[in-house]
Amino acid sequence: VSLLIDFKDIPFAPFDSSSQINFDEISKGKIKYAEFKIIALPNAQSGIYKLPLSISYSENEVAKTLNSLISITVKSEPIVDIIVDDELYLVGNKNEVNIKITNKGLSDIVFMEVDIGESQSFSLLSPSHQYIGDIDSDDFETLTFTLNFKDKGKVKLPIVINFKDNLNNNYKKDVEIIIPVYSQEEAIELGLLEKNNLYLIIGEIIILLLLYFLYRRLLKWAKTKNQKRI
């Protein structure tokens, strides 16, 4: 009796054993066990795999072959990384907050939903719930929420993520992202925001116009005075 697993098209390999196990004979009514030690390759993703098994034997001097499948499960918990774009966020302004969600695990993510929790430090100007769907392994998705920050300083942004893996297991992740929020004056002092010189420019233009009209008036007065002398 010969048992052979074909590893050609599957992400597995024999580990500390052979891909083939042989028995001299199996007597009537007896049971023998074949144990294969295998290892999942780095490209094996979470899920259910079918291993082709071929059983060859001779019965009453007649060669026979039986082809079958063995089902095995590879489980790898998704690894989710959440970051917020390093942008300038101002208190009292309409801020677009971009949240990048990366799947660093070997398992694909499905049916992902993201919620922003409530806080006294900000008000949401966009829906608090967004549906992403699927994120493949080593891939990412970006969401955008619009917030009006009421407080400056380090503001906590509560985020709740619900999703499933390839095996339909449920996961929930609660995180708090710290976002630095500045007043406009602080941002200008730190060089994060250019000072608005619009009013200064307008004032300079008005002064120049006044000087121009004063010059024209003085020039006209001087010309009239000269004509009277003549």
Side-chain angles (χ1 to χ4, degrees):
V1 181
S2 176
L3 295 88
L4 175 67
I5 294 180
D6 184 5
F7 291 96
K8 182 174 61 176
D9 298 321
I10 54 177
F12 302 93
F15 178 74
D16 198 24
S17 71
S18 173
S19 62
Q20 183 173 346
I21 295 177
N22 300 313
F23 298 111
D24 290 336
E25 67 176 19
I26 303 177
S27 301
K28 182 178 179 180
K30 299 295 182 179
I31 298 175
K32 288 194 175 182
Y33 295 92
E35 181 179 285
F36 292 90
K37 294 182 179 180
I38 64 174
I39 187 171
L41 300 180
N43 63 331
Q45 295 186 345
S46 177
I48 299 174
Y49 292 85
K50 295 179 180 179
L51 278 63
L53 174 65
S54 176
I55 304 174
S56 302
Y57 61 97
S58 177
E59 184 179 18
N60 298 325
E61 299 183 354
V62 178
K64 297 182 180 181
T65 301
L66 174 64
N67 294 318
S68 184
L69 293 172
I70 302 174
S71 296
I72 62 172
T73 301
V74 175
K75 183 178 180 181
S76 174
E77 290 192 6
I79 302 173
V80 177
D81 183 54
I82 305 169
I83 60 173
V84 174
D85 281 356
D86 188 15
E87 298 288 342
L88 175 61
Y89 302 105
L90 297 175
V91 65
N93 281 28
K94 181 179 178 182
N95 300 271
E96 288 191 349
V97 180
N98 297 316
I99 300 174
K100 182 179 179 182
I101 302 177
T102 304
N103 179 9
K104 293 184 176 181
L106 297 176
S107 173
D108 291 341
I109 290 174
V110 296
F111 306 119
M112 174 173 279
E113 298 176 315
V114 180
D115 291 274
I116 299 295
E118 296 181 354
S119 173
Q120 295 181 351
S121 299
F122 61 82
S123 58
L124 270 166
L125 305 179
S126 61
S128 62
H129 176 85
Q130 290 196 33
Y131 178 77
I132 292 180
D134 302 346
I135 303 181
D136 295 337
S137 174
D138 196 28
D139 201 358
F140 68 91
E141 290 289 341
T142 302
L143 300 177
T144 300
F145 292 91
T146 305
L147 283 76
N148 182 6
F149 292 103
K150 302 176 183 178
D151 300 325
K152 64 179 182 178
K154 295 182 179 180
V155 177
K156 294 181 180 179
L157 181 64
I159 301 174
V160 180
I161 300 176
N162 291 281
F163 57 93
K164 295 177 181 288
D165 63 11
N166 284 346
L167 302 175
N168 210 33
N169 296 310
N170 292 311
Y171 294 88
K172 181 179 180 181
K173 189 177 181 67
D174 294 89
V175 295
E176 280 188 341
I177 303 294
I178 305 299
I179 298 180
V181 181
Y182 304 92
S183 65
Q184 190 165 353
E185 293 77 13
E186 287 176 334
I188 293 173
E189 289 178 3
L190 295 173
L192 302 174
L193 182 67
E194 292 185 2
K195 187 175 182 179
N196 191 348
N197 296 321
L198 178 61
Y199 294 108
L200 180 60
I201 294 172
I202 293 175
E204 291 176 351
I205 292 174
I206 292 174
I207 292 173
L208 290 174
L209 289 174
L210 290 175
L211 290 174
Y212 173 75
F213 286 118
L214 180 60
Y215 169 76
R216 291 287 303 271
R217 192 174 186 86
L218 290 174
L219 186 63
K220 185 177 180 180
W221 175 80
K223 190 175 182 180
T224 303
K225 189 175 181 179
N226 289 335
Q227 287 179 350
K228 288 182 178 180
R229 289 178 180 178
I230 297 172

